[in-house]
Amino acid sequence: MTQQQVRVFLAEDQVMVRSALVSLIELEPDLCVVGVAGRGDQAVERIAELRPDVAVLDIDMPGLDGLSAAEAVRTRVPACAALILTALSKPGMLQRALQAGAKGYVVKHAPADELLAAIRGVAAGERVFDSALAVAALEEDVPVTQRELDVVRLVAEGASAREIAGRLFLSEGTVRNYTSNMINKCGARNRVDLVRIAFDRGWL
């Protein structure tokens, strides 16, 4: 490893994909992989220990999802740039990545050169996002508030109105109002359809 190399940590739960990405990155003379993990919670601990320049985080990981891991990395290792790697090219997901403090967002079906360029870009302090997805994220109207999303997230887990009220410190009537408002805003048929819409748009 030379002093000029960008130190990369890779978090990806699929072993074959992780191995392929490590091989890809290690072929670049200016990049080196200093650590890997298959779980989000393990990734955060290892990143805090190793202090890499860039953390490439898959969104869908056990233990802790990539967005939650990115938020934890921002708090614990602010000098490390989080780069989200995902198969989900959804504007809502990109918005959530931005809120989590990610510096970049790359979809898995993009050419390998785009991932390498994104790693170099975020390491240099740039923000790197797919341009078409970024435009879609800016144009998308998100009709629900964060509090309403908190409610629908618990609805998706199968929680009752009483359970949601207890966990969010709301009254049951307020929970029902939030749910009804979201169903109307999104044009959903019922709670199940509301959850489907929320997942389809990348809000959850």
Side-chain angles (χ1 to χ4, degrees):
M1 183 178 73
T2 65
Q3 192 172 15
Q4 292 75 29
Q5 283 183 307
V6 174
R7 302 172 71 251
V8 181
F9 188 94
L10 179 64
E12 160 65 56
D13 66 322
Q14 297 183 39
V15 177
M16 290 183 66
V17 174
R18 186 169 69 238
S19 297
L21 290 173
V22 169
S23 298
L24 172 70
I25 294 168
E26 288 285 358
L27 286 173
E28 302 299 306
D30 60 327
L31 306 177
C32 69
V33 177
V34 295
V36 299
R39 294 174 54 93
D41 49 353
Q42 293 172 349
V44 172
E45 294 304 317
R46 290 289 286 155
I47 290 166
E49 176 187 345
L50 296 169
R51 306 255 164 189
D53 302 306
V54 177
V56 180
L57 306 170
D58 182 28
I59 279 186
D60 190 15
M61 290 187 291
L64 196 68
D65 65 84
L67 297 181
S68 298
E71 195 164 9
V73 168
R74 177 178 61 178
T75 301
R76 298 182 62 177
V77 193
C80 177
L83 175 62
I84 298 298
L85 181 64
T86 178
L88 304 172
S89 54
K90 298 179 179 180
M93 196 66 74
L94 173 55
Q95 291 172 336
R96 290 177 59 202
L98 287 168
Q99 292 169 357
K103 302 300 183 183
Y105 189 101
V106 178
V107 292
K108 288 184 177 180
H109 58 259
D113 286 348
E114 288 191 18
L115 172 60
L116 298 173
I119 292 172
R120 295 183 177 103
V122 297
E126 302 172 5
R127 289 179 176 270
V128 182
F129 302 100
D130 178 87
S131 57
L133 190 59
V135 169
L138 289 172
E139 292 178 344
E140 183 179 68
D141 178 25
V142 180
V144 295
T145 67
Q146 184 57 53
R147 197 56 164 168
E148 288 172 333
L149 287 178
D150 291 340
V151 171
V152 77
R153 188 170 291 110
L154 293 177
V155 169
E157 293 178 6
S160 67
R162 176 175 293 183
E163 291 170 333
I164 295 171
R167 291 172 67 176
L168 297 181
F169 304 101
L170 301 171
S171 69
E172 288 187 51
T174 299
V175 170
R176 292 192 181 94
N177 286 338
Y178 274 140
T179 305
S180 178
N181 287 340
M182 286 187 291
I183 287 173
N184 291 331
K185 286 180 180 181
C186 298
R189 295 186 298 274
N190 48 41
R191 285 163 53 109
V192 174
D193 196 35
L194 174 63
V195 170
R196 178 192 61 77
I197 290 171
F199 273 113
D200 285 349
R201 295 189 182 181
W203 299 342
L204 300 179

